[in-house]
Each structure stands twice: as structure tokens, then as C-alpha cells.
Amino acid sequence: MTADADIIAGLRDAGLSGEGDIVLEPLTGGVSCDVWKVETPTGPIVVKRPLEQLRVAADWHAPVERGQSEVRWLRRARGVDPAIAPEVLAELPGYGFAMRFLPGCPVWKDELTAGRVDADFAAGVGRGIAAVHAATADSAADRDAFPTDAMFRALRVDPFLLHVAQKDTELAPVLTALADDLSARKIALVHGDVSPKNILVSTGGPVFLDAECAVYGDPAFDLAFCTTHLLLKAVWLEDARLGEAASAMVAAYRAGIEWEDADDLLLRAGKLTAALLIARVEGKSPAPYLTDPGHKRIVRDQARALILAPTPIDALVANWKRNLA
Ligand SMILES: Nc1ncnc2c1ncn2[C@@H]1O[C@H](COP(=O)(O)OP(=O)(O)OP(=O)(O)O)[C@@H](O)[C@H]1O
Ligand SMILES: [Mg+2]
């Protein structure tokens, strides 16, 4: 039985198909998964199944069980606010799953790239992630439901923080300490991949996808991860509005911090952002659009300075320079 036949049988077993043939139409994206759109008698759905070998330049394997983490995160987030994640309809063979397709919702990255930068929407992203963090902070049940530290280490800590540490002796002590701190903190449920390419723009605000890296860990990571993307895009597109969007996101997130001292979190997020910024120019998963050597230098120079002299994330964003002028 081919993999597709497996998926089709799973959809039939879950009662998600009619009598006729099931047509799997590939969706764009998909570095780490096969993602298809499927028409069903009750409307379109998305079927997603993790790949064992990620489609990135460097050899990069990841356990397929991460599909299960994503399902758990999506369900938990919908429990916090049903508007912020798609509904999971069924779990399928090979850690695949089916979810409801959200029609007419562009990917936020495409909106930003097209010059449609909406600071209110960015604030909604900050509110959405803070809501999940607040609802899951200090929760033994959530901690037990996400025993995914090894996965988070393999997909986030090693490639983003420790890969650069291996190559750069000056930064190594700071990055290694940061990696240890990140791995040790067990505060709230972290999505792990809050990137504009994993956020749909719906009329009701942001919808978060792609939670394969979910872990019970440091919520500062999610804020830092998304901020990194916005700051890289500010350099790439030389657009000040992306920095303003990042500021709006951070401010909205800050207003939602009710589980710990906000200043502590913002400083951790500032350190992580600096580390993630350098990882996106020198790490294992470089930002694909940041190819211009001048752009890379702007990011690298600022990131190095910020790693060696940490700044809270709100100040980091406010001072971020988009060009050499
Ligand atoms: N529920 C949904 N409704 C509408 N579109 C969706 C939905 N789920 C996924 N998509 C589309 O499919 C794309 C890929 O989905 P997703 O990010 O979950 O997969 P992925 O393989 O992990 O992608 P990548 O590795 O590129 O981030 C999304 O960017 C989006 O365009
Ligand atoms: Mg994705």
C-alpha cells in the first residue's frame, strides 16, 4: 500500500470522505511535511503528514511523532480560544492528521511580503501567543501532555543555538548558557514555530498552524522566534513598518504576561532574539530570502553585539537598524 493509499484509507475510516475518489491536492510550503487539500462532502479539509527527512539543504532528520505534538497543541490552543487554531478532525496513520481548511485566509508572510503590514494584526499575534502561555503556565497537566524536550532540542536548540556556538568561539559561552537556560525552563506551553509563514490572516485575527515543535518550556521563545522573523524581513524589505509591527506584537504580548515578572521574560526574549537572528544568517536553517551580503552583514553585526550585551526585547526592537545608513 502506498503512503497516499494509507492516508486515503485513514480518511475513509475517519468518515471524512464520500463515495467517490479522494483527490489529494498538494498545498504549497511543506519543508517538513506533506500537506494536501482534500475536498470532502462536508467541505474542504487539510491533511498533513510529517516527513522523516526535512526538505532543507542540510541533512536534517526529525522523528515523525512531532505530528502528534502538533495535534495536541492545536487542540489545546482551541481550548483557550477556538478562533486561534484550526479544528482537528481526525488523526491518521503515520502521525498524520486532518483539520478544517480555512478558506480565504492568506498566509501572513505573503501579506507582509506584498507590503500589507498591519500593526493591529501583529498585536493580535502577540495577544494570541500570550493567551496560550497564560492558560498553560504552571500547569502540570500541560507539562505532562508535552514530554517533547528531545524533539525541541533536535529541532530548535541544536540547530538554532548550538550550531552557531560550535563555529564561533567568541559567542559559544553565551549561546551555550542560553541553550541550557532555554532547555531547563518549564513555564508554559510553547508553540515552537511562530513564524509569519505559519500564521493565517483570518477576519477574526491570527490563526496559528504548524505546531510540530511544541514543548512545555520557556514562553519567551515564541515571542523571540516571531520577532526574529519580523526583524529579518524589516532588513530584507527595508521597511520600517515591520519594526513597528514587531513593537506592536511585543507590547500586546507584554500586556498578557500574568504568570511571571514581565521584565524577566522580556530580557530572556531579547537574548533569544539575538541568538535566533545570528542563527538565521549563520545557522543550519538560514532565512532563504536573506541572500544580499549587505543585508546579512546588518543582521550579523547587530546580532553579535546584542548577544554580547543583552537587551530586553522591546528595546531591541525599538533600536533595530534596517540598513547601513
Ligand atoms: N487549516 C488550513 N487552512 C488553510 N490553509 C492551510 C491550513 N493548514 C495549512 N495550510 C496551508 O498549507 C501551508 C503549509 O502548512 P504547514 O505550515 O502546517 O505545513 P509545513 O509542512 O509544516 O510547512 P513548512 O515546513 O513550510 O512551515 C500553510 O502555509 C498554508 O498555506
Ligand atoms: Mg509551516
Side-chain angles (χ1 to χ4, degrees):
M1 188 184 263
T2 66
D4 283 5
D6 233 21
I7 288 286
I8 288 169
L11 290 171
R12 288 201 199 283
D13 290 349
L16 285 170
S17 61
E19 292 301 308
D21 284 347
I22 300 178
V23 180
L24 298 173
E25 174 200 331
L27 284 173
T28 51
V31 170
S32 70
C33 292
D34 281 326
V35 188
W36 299 280
K37 183 179 176 188
V38 182
E39 296 295 340
T40 79
T42 55
I45 63 171
V46 174
V47 173
K48 187 172 172 184
R49 188 185 48 194
L51 296 165
E52 284 188 35
Q53 161 76 59
L54 273 53
R55 294 185 187 110
V56 288
D59 185 26
W60 192 341
H61 292 269
V64 285
E65 289 84 350
R66 65 191 194 277
Q68 206 171 32
S69 310
E70 174 158 9
V71 166
R72 287 201 182 126
W73 187 93
L74 292 171
R75 288 188 167 140
R76 185 66 184 94
R78 276 180 68 83
V80 176
D81 177 354
I84 63 172
E87 181 189 357
V88 175
L89 300 169
E91 293 184 64
L92 300 168
Y95 297 101
F97 68 98
M99 63 184 141
R100 210 171 285 292
F101 178 83
L102 298 169
C105 297
V107 173
W108 193 27
K109 179 183 177 182
D110 295 340
E111 291 295 286
L112 296 173
T113 308
R116 291 185 287 274
V117 183
D118 179 348
D120 289 342
F121 182 84
V125 171
R127 268 193 301 279
I129 30 181
V132 176
H133 295 164
T136 57
D138 304 314
S139 156
D142 287 311
R143 184 176 173 153
D144 292 348
F146 290 86
T148 49
D149 293 33
M151 196 110 67
F152 189 76
R153 180 165 275 277
L155 291 172
R156 290 291 173 261
V157 180
D158 287 350
F160 286 93
L161 301 184
L162 295 177
H163 189 78
V164 176
Q166 278 165 12
K167 304 195 301 184
D168 192 314
T169 47
E170 189 188 10
L171 300 184
V174 186
L175 292 175
T176 307
L178 200 54
D180 289 345
D181 186 78
L182 177 61
S183 303
R185 275 183 207 274
K186 299 287 155 207
I187 299 175
L189 176 56
V190 172
H191 175 286
D193 201 1
V194 183
S195 149
K197 82 177 160 86
N198 291 329
I199 298 173
L200 296 179
V201 180
S202 89
T203 48
V207 179
F208 297 90
L209 305 170
D210 212 355
E212 291 181 354
C213 297
V215 71
Y216 202 80
D218 187 352
F221 184 84
D222 280 341
L223 184 64
F225 201 81
C226 195
T227 299
T228 298
H229 280 280
L230 295 178
L231 296 183
L232 291 173
K233 286 180 178 59
V235 172
W236 172 44
L237 301 168
E238 300 183 16
D239 188 340
R241 295 172 307 156
L242 283 148
E244 289 156 17
S247 283
M249 178 176 74
V250 169
Y253 183 91
R254 188 189 211 286
I257 303 173
E258 52 188 51
W259 60 90
E260 64 171 294
D261 184 79
D263 290 339
D264 285 354
L265 189 148
L266 294 193
L267 182 56
R268 295 202 307 278
K271 292 179 184 179
L272 288 166
T273 302
L276 292 170
L277 282 163
I278 201 121
R280 289 299 187 173
V281 282
E282 295 194 345
K284 204 172 174 181
S285 176
Y289 48 82
L290 215 66
T291 50
D292 181 280
H295 288 163
K296 282 188 179 180
R297 207 178 93 215
I298 296 161
V299 173
R300 188 185 297 114
D301 289 355
Q302 292 186 90
R304 286 194 81 83
L306 287 161
I307 290 168
L308 297 170
T311 315
I313 192 169
D314 45 357
L316 185 160
V317 169
N319 296 324
W320 182 249
K321 293 185 183 52
R322 302 176 311 282
N323 47 49
L324 295 168

